[in-house]
Amino acid sequence: MAMEEINARGGINGRPLAFRDVGGAGSTKARLAIETAERLAADPAILAVVGHTNSAASLAASQVYNARHVVQIAPTSSSPLYSDAGPYSFRLVGSDIHQGDFLANALLSRQPRPRTAVMFVNDDYGRPLRNVLVERMRRGGMLAVHDAPYMENSDMLSRTEMTAALARSRPEVLLWLGRSYDYLPIRDLLAKSLPGLVVIASDGFSGREVTNDSLRLLDRVSYVRLVDMQRPYSGLVRLRRLYRDQKWGEPTDQAVLSYDAVLLLSDAIQNAGPEREAIREWLARVGADVPPVAGLSGPIAFLPNGDRKPQYVLEEIGKSRRDSVRSLAEPRDSITWKRD
C-alpha cells in the first residue's frame, strides 16, 4: 500500500518502486533471518531494508546489515539489545526498557497493590522485557507471586502444568509478556481456575488473533499498543477506512509502522539520493537538524542510538473508545482492579 501510494505520486525522483517476494523474510528464526540478510545485502540494488519480523530476527540480521553498510528499519522490534546493534540499525518503537517501566508503573500506582503474576515467552523479546519489568517492580517494593517463562507453541501437557502452577499462586493480575496465539490455548483453563483474573499483555500480544477475534475470546484483555489508533490524523483515518472497506478488520501496529517505514525510506532516498551511506546519514539527522517526519503513527524522530522516542497506549480489547483504558505517557487512574 505504501509502495502504491509512492508510485501514484510519481515514484522516487521519477523512478517507480517494484515489489519483490523474498523467501524466508518473514521468519522469526535467527538462522533464516541471517541467510535472508546476506542475500539482500549482497544485492547492490537493495538500498535499505524494512524488518525483520521480531526482535530475535532483527537482532540476528543486524549483524549482517551493519557489516555490509545497509540501513535497516525495524518497525516493531523492541529488544533493549537492538539499541546497540549498530549505526545502520534504526527502529520505529522504543526499547522495552521503557515498556517495562510503563507496565510496572501501571501496577505500582494501584492501591491496594494487586497480587501479580508474570508469564514471559522464553526468547529475545520476552526475557529482556521481563527483566526490566520485574526489577522495576522490585525497586517499587512489589514482588511477583509467580514469575515463569513459557515456550512458544507448547504442547497441551505443558500448558496444563503451566496453568496449574500459575493458579496455585492465586494472582489477581496476570502480566502476559508474549503473543496472543500462545495465550488463547490456555484461556479457558485460566477462566476455570482463576475466575475474575485481570490480564494485561505486552505489545507482542497484537496480531491477527486480536484483529480477527470474531468469537470475542480475547475480550477484557488489556494490551500495550505502540500506535494510538484513535489519533485524529487524516492518513491514519484513511488507512483504517481502507482496511474496513476491504473487510480486513483493524490494522495492526506492525502494519502501520511498516507503512511508516516505507514512507520514511522514500523521504530519505528523495532527499539524500540512492546511496546506502547517504540514506543512513540522513536518517541519523531526523529529529536533529532534519525536522521530524510526519508518520501515521505520529512524528518520527531518532535518538542518537537509532531508537525512536517511546509511546504507549494500554487498550482493552472489546471496549469502546469511550471507556477504554488508555494512556500515552504515564498510567492514569482509569485502570481499576476487581477482587472477586
Side-chain angles (χ1 to χ4, degrees):
M1 291 166 61
M3 180 192 74
E4 290 171 356
E5 181 177 319
I6 292 167
N7 288 342
R9 297 198 305 247
I12 302 176
N13 295 326
R15 303 182 68 176
L17 295 179
F19 182 82
R20 184 198 304 176
D21 186 9
V22 180
S27 173
T28 62
K29 299 184 184 301
R31 178 181 60 80
L32 291 178
I34 291 173
E35 291 174 358
T36 300
E38 290 282 7
R39 292 202 308 274
L40 294 174
D43 185 345
I46 300 295
L47 300 181
V49 172
V50 176
H52 287 214
T53 306
N54 67 358
S55 289
S58 293
L59 279 167
S62 69
Q63 306 169 51
V64 177
Y65 296 133
N66 281 278
R68 301 291 190 86
H69 295 187
V70 179
V71 164
Q72 171 190 20
I73 299 183
T76 57
S77 297
S78 54
S79 169
L81 295 175
Y82 193 82
S83 298
D84 300 317
Y88 291 84
S89 295
F90 298 82
R91 59 176 162 189
L92 294 188
V93 294
S95 163
D96 276 333
I97 289 174
H98 306 291
Q99 185 176 173
D101 281 343
F102 174 77
L103 287 168
N105 286 340
L107 294 170
L108 293 169
S109 63
R110 299 299 93 204
Q111 294 297 333
R113 291 177 175 175
R115 291 176 57 85
T116 301
V118 178
M119 293 293 302
F120 61 97
V121 61
N122 194 11
D123 66 8
D124 286 336
Y125 167 73
R127 289 189 299 269
L129 179 52
R130 174 264 174 200
N131 291 344
V132 172
L133 169 65
V134 171
E135 173 59 20
R136 178 69 180 84
M137 289 171 60
R138 186 194 65 77
R139 286 191 279 112
M142 186 177 185
L143 299 178
V145 297
H146 182 80
D147 177 15
Y150 74 86
M151 297 299 297
E152 280 192 309
N153 303 311
S154 336
D155 57 32
M156 193 60 205
L157 177 60
S158 299
R159 294 169 186 160
T160 303
E161 292 173 345
M162 176 175 70
T163 307
L166 181 61
R168 285 194 293 271
S169 65
R170 297 179 294 106
E172 298 163 309
V173 176
L174 169 62
L175 285 177
W176 183 264
L177 310 181
R179 285 91 190 183
S180 50
Y181 55 73
D182 283 316
Y183 171 80
L184 274 170
I186 68 168
R187 171 191 171 276
D188 290 344
L189 294 173
L190 284 174
K192 290 177 183 177
S193 56
L194 293 167
L197 179 69
V198 173
V199 180
I200 299 177
S202 59
D203 68 288
F205 200 81
S206 66
R208 70 188 74 179
E209 290 77 17
V210 174
T211 56
N212 299 331
D213 184 22
S214 59
L215 298 179
R216 306 178 73 87
L217 299 176
L218 298 175
D219 276 12
R220 301 186 67 186
V221 174
S222 297
Y223 73 107
V224 175
R225 298 206 65 166
L226 304 173
V227 177
D228 180 9
M229 288 297 177
Q230 306 301 331
R231 180 172 176 259
Y233 180 69
S234 59
L236 183 57
V237 171
R238 187 170 62 250
L239 182 71
R240 295 181 68 203
R241 185 183 301 120
L242 178 57
Y243 262 64
R244 286 195 298 269
D245 291 346
Q246 297 293 331
K247 300 190 180 345
W248 294 339
E250 282 287 319
T252 62
D253 295 350
Q254 187 164 18
V256 174
L257 293 166
S258 297
Y259 183 96
D260 276 355
V262 176
L263 271 294
L264 177 64
L265 282 173
S266 172
D267 283 358
I269 298 169
Q270 188 90 30
N271 286 282
E275 300 292 337
R276 290 176 174 180
E277 185 60 33
I279 293 169
R280 185 203 68 78
E281 290 177 355
W282 188 86
L283 288 173
R285 294 164 53 206
V286 172
D289 56 329
V290 172
V293 174
L296 302 192
S297 57
I300 300 171
F302 293 112
L303 300 171
N305 60 3
D307 286 0
R308 184 182 184 180
K309 185 178 179 180
Q311 55 181 14
Y312 303 112
V313 175
L314 190 59
E315 182 175 296
E316 185 174 323
I317 299 170
K319 279 199 170 187
S320 67
R321 171 170 164 76
R322 183 179 63 257
D323 55 3
S324 288
V325 180
R326 307 179 62 248
S327 174
L328 285 175
E330 295 295 328
R332 297 175 186 170
D333 290 335
S334 55
I335 302 174
T336 58
W337 311 116
K338 293 183 180 179
R339 297 177 184 269
D340 285 12

